[in-house]
Amino acid sequence: MPKTDGKSNTSTKEEKTASSGKALPPRNFRFSSGDLILIIGIVLFCAFLIAGIFIYGKVQEKKTPYVRILSDGQVLLYSPLRDFQDETEYFIETNNGKVVVLISSERAVIVSSDCPDQICVKQGELTHVGQGAICLPNKVVVEIVPGPESDEEQEIDGVAR
Amino acid sequence: MEYIRDPLRRKQCVSRMTGLFIFLVFLSFLILNLSACKKKTNKKTLQLFAMDTYVTITVEGKDAQEALDEAARLITNLENQLSSRKENTPISRLNASSENAPVTLPANAYDLLERAWRFKEETEGVFDPRVAPLMDAWGFSSGDPHVPSKEEIDSALSRVEEGGICFMASCQAYVLPGTKIDLGGAAKGYIGDEVMKALRKYSLSRIILDLGGNITVWAENDDLKVGIVDPGLPSGLCAVLQLSECDTPHSVITSGAYERFFEEDGIRYGHIMDTRTGYPVITDLMSATVIGKDGALGDMMSTTLFAMGREKAMSWASQKGIDCVLCDDNGTLWISSSLKGKIDAENGWKIKYFD
Amino acid sequence: MRRRWTAYEVTKLSVLLALALMLSILEAWLVPKGILPLPGLKLGLANIALLIALYSVGKKEALLLSLLRSLVVLLLGGNFVGFVFSVLGGIFAVCAMIFLSEQKKISIYGVSIGGAASHSIGQILAAVMLSRTLYVMMYLPYLVLLSCLAGAMIAFLTIPVVKALDHIGTKMIQ
């Protein structure tokens, strides 16, 4: 097998092609110990994230659930779930398509959407604070969030309604 | 095959920096996760359903748990005393009383009744505890809101106008025939005051009461922030109040027609009634908020200011020295000048101060 | 950057780019999007071209390839949202891959897996920015793990190609 010699083959009169040729990465084609360390690192990182998200979820669950629908970053709806004693369907029309969300006093679901991958519909029911579903192509986000009293950014102690 | 070492330091540096960048990304995620933890104080929250709405009480301090238990008891107690909807409560018995059969009311109910009656006189009927027949006609009490017929409105109106309470000694009273009293416009505020009074006896550092949106707060040492909901977009706030000297309790109470209303034929009907026309009030305000030390007064006052409309509300508030925030239907907050420096507008609302 | 590009160098990049695009099309044809409720989960066959570029041509070409691929897909398909995802994911991936490929202890498998993981992280970051909620982070761990699997597979597929190119003589394509 010819050895790569690291020297540029086209170094004629071109100005400043790579000064001393290109170095190619080392040819490790077998699974090595370094790989394993990398993978373990990634897995640990993910485990950490999952744990963090889980803890965050537990904390959030205690707050009163509000359903929030965002379209392209704009808030379309933000109300306590319990206000929806009757099931209500929301039709959201965006530049990219239509999304239908069904909200009841217990859950919010994306029932239909005309996006190609339908991932949002498959997300299922949202019941707890912290859960959400997104339709990326339509840029619609449906989330269960804590109410405005829990506005940690401003640390508001109470909200008069 | 040989591994060719790259002698150029520049290329090595680029690789290293790329690596560092990636490392930092991972690190930032870790930090994000960790910063979710907050400090702990002995803070406890109670949530219950009372007075046809949601009540949330948060207290901080040594006696947090006992305070909350007491609060729960007190609220249920007071609700039973002041409610006109439930059966066999003092007020419903009052509504069934007559000259020959007066009722004896518990001190709380009698007290609030008197205050509500006096307030009605003060506002020349804008606030009127006799309004129950109208609420019934419009279906707000039964949970089936609808536009009633003209006859229904007229008959309810006459009941309201001819209604009256006779106050007797030793907490006795009776009503004139046809009268139906509803203390809803003042009860929450009153209960807020009473609960706050009771809780202050406990060893606490902070008390935050949220009775269906009526806020009453107290803090031993801190300043508190209370937001006012944006009536046009109730998911956000229109203003944030900075309350200082919170070692005296403050109440912040808002009235508006953006929470309890119904729509028929495209017209929105709120639940605050105009006792002169028999219809829900028509006003250029979207909400009125009163800030003060007396919750019952604040409750009645906010409803009144809302019903009066901007001009009248402003002159009334100036006259009586009431601190209030009026949200008009044009994106402007009309705020008492005494609140200058203590309030910030949010969400695009503009502020105009008045004296 | 070199001051002048030879026709040779331009052609190299173009071939790689064409390869990457063709692989994307192949992937779209093979796998319907949305098998799992995770946004952005895909086989990443186009990364085969990226690995080839990295291992057999050069780091700069790899970086360019990543950027150009996103650009061309945008020009051809017009999906701006997809472009943002592609670009961010791509940049993260290429940087990671360049760094990892220099490590003596890490094989091509590690490079591909690390690249895939970074690609996912980049995409989630894009999703967070676009949807303006932190909620999307929830997907991150699962997306990363699954993309590692894809990364391993990509490496497996690329090895014969790189070996063959070495055999022919990388002198020809350097």
Side-chain angles (χ1 to χ4, degrees), chain A residues 75-131:
Chain A
V75 178
L76 292 184
L77 172 73
Y78 182 51
S79 299
L81 264 189
R82 62 188 183 224
D83 278 1
F84 292 89
Q85 290 303 325
D86 309 310
E87 277 198 344
T88 323
E89 275 190 327
Y90 278 85
F91 296 86
I92 305 161
E93 288 194 21
T94 69
N95 299 332
N96 306 339
K98 296 199 181 76
V99 180
V100 181
V101 184
L102 180 69
I103 308 182
S104 75
S105 63
E106 281 162 17
R107 58 187 179 37
V109 204
I110 297 188
V111 259
S112 79
S113 152
D114 52 10
C115 59
D117 42 15
Q118 295 287 300
I119 291 179
C120 42
V121 182
K122 289 190 195 158
Q123 307 253 298
E125 301 190 340
L126 311 169
T127 45
H128 294 112
V129 173
Q131 289 182 322

Side-chain angles (χ1 to χ4, degrees), chain B residues 155-340:
Chain B
S155 89
L157 255 186
S158 61
R159 281 180 67 186
V160 170
E161 280 160 15
E162 286 154 30
I165 310 176
C166 291
F167 292 91
M168 297 156 54
S170 8
C171 293
Q172 287 196 321
Y174 64 91
V175 294
L176 300 179
T179 315
K180 196 166 174 204
I181 302 290
D182 183 346
L183 288 176
K188 279 198 290 221
Y190 182 77
I191 294 182
D193 288 338
E194 294 298 302
V195 172
M196 181 56 82
K197 262 198 286 191
L199 290 189
R200 289 206 41 206
K201 302 198 192 106
Y202 290 86
S203 174
L204 298 167
S205 61
R206 187 187 274 231
I207 304 174
I208 314 237
L209 306 177
D210 176 348
L211 279 72
N214 284 18
I215 306 288
T216 313
V217 296
W218 173 85
E220 192 170 18
N221 272 324
D222 307 312
D223 290 345
L224 295 172
K225 282 194 200 177
V226 176
I228 302 177
V229 133
D230 181 339
L233 194 66
S235 63
L237 305 173
C238 65
V240 175
L241 284 162
Q242 320 273 352
L243 300 173
S244 53
E245 287 163 38
C246 294
D247 45 354
T248 320
H250 285 76
S251 340
V252 180
I253 302 182
T254 309
S255 274
Y258 54 88
E259 269 203 345
R260 281 176 75 191
F261 60 89
F262 70 96
E263 273 189 26
E264 205 171 281
D265 296 331
I267 307 180
R268 195 187 260 209
Y269 299 96
H271 72 282
I272 298 179
M273 294 287 143
D274 186 337
T275 51
R276 282 161 304 163
T277 65
Y279 278 78
V281 295
I282 300 180
T283 161
D284 56 356
L285 291 174
M286 289 181 73
S287 78
T289 306
V290 172
I291 300 114
K293 306 208 159 81
D294 185 335
L297 189 62
D299 206 349
M300 299 191 284
M301 194 76 77
S302 62
T303 316
T304 310
L305 291 179
F306 173 72
M308 283 176 168
R310 188 168 66 79
E311 293 286 346
K312 203 164 165 212
M314 277 167 48
S315 75
W316 221 68
S318 317
Q319 260 190 320
K320 310 271 173 180
I322 300 166
D323 293 342
C324 61
V325 176
L326 308 170
C327 301
D328 74 6
D329 47 12
N330 228 349
T332 310
L333 303 169
W334 298 84
I335 306 185
S336 312
S337 51
S338 46
L339 290 176
K340 213 186 270 199

Side-chain angles (χ1 to χ4, degrees), chain A residues 8-124:
Chain A
S8 170
N9 218 27
T10 58
S11 54
T12 49
K13 285 171 196 159
E14 326 258 19
E15 21 190 3
K16 295 206 177 137
T17 47
S19 328
S20 76
K22 301 254 281 309
L24 292 180
R27 256 82 181 128
N28 310 340
F29 288 151
R30 308 217 113 185
F31 218 78
S32 72
S33 57
D35 291 337
L36 207 53
I37 296 179
L38 180 68
I39 292 180
I40 290 179
I42 292 179
V43 169
L44 280 177
F45 170 70
C46 290
F48 195 84
L49 275 184
I50 295 179
I53 289 173
F54 183 69
I55 294 175
Y56 182 70
K58 282 263 150 197
V59 167
Q60 296 280 54
E61 252 181 35
K62 298 192 183 146
K63 309 194 181 154
T64 44
Y66 272 61
V67 59
R68 176 164 79 179
I69 303 185
L70 295 155
S71 172
D72 202 8
Q74 297 292 319
V75 178
L76 292 184
L77 172 73
Y78 182 51
S79 299
L81 264 189
R82 62 188 183 224
D83 278 1
F84 292 89
Q85 290 303 325
D86 309 310
E87 277 198 344
T88 323
E89 275 190 327
Y90 278 85
F91 296 86
I92 305 161
E93 288 194 21
T94 69
N95 299 332
N96 306 339
K98 296 199 181 76
V99 180
V100 181
V101 184
L102 180 69
I103 308 182
S104 75
S105 63
E106 281 162 17
R107 58 187 179 37
V109 204
I110 297 188
V111 259
S112 79
S113 152
D114 52 10
C115 59
D117 42 15
Q118 295 287 300
I119 291 179
C120 42
V121 182
K122 289 190 195 158
Q123 307 253 298

Side-chain angles (χ1 to χ4, degrees), chain C residues 91 116 129 148 151 158 165:
Chain C
I91 292 186
M129 285 196 316
C148 288
T158 314
L165 282 175

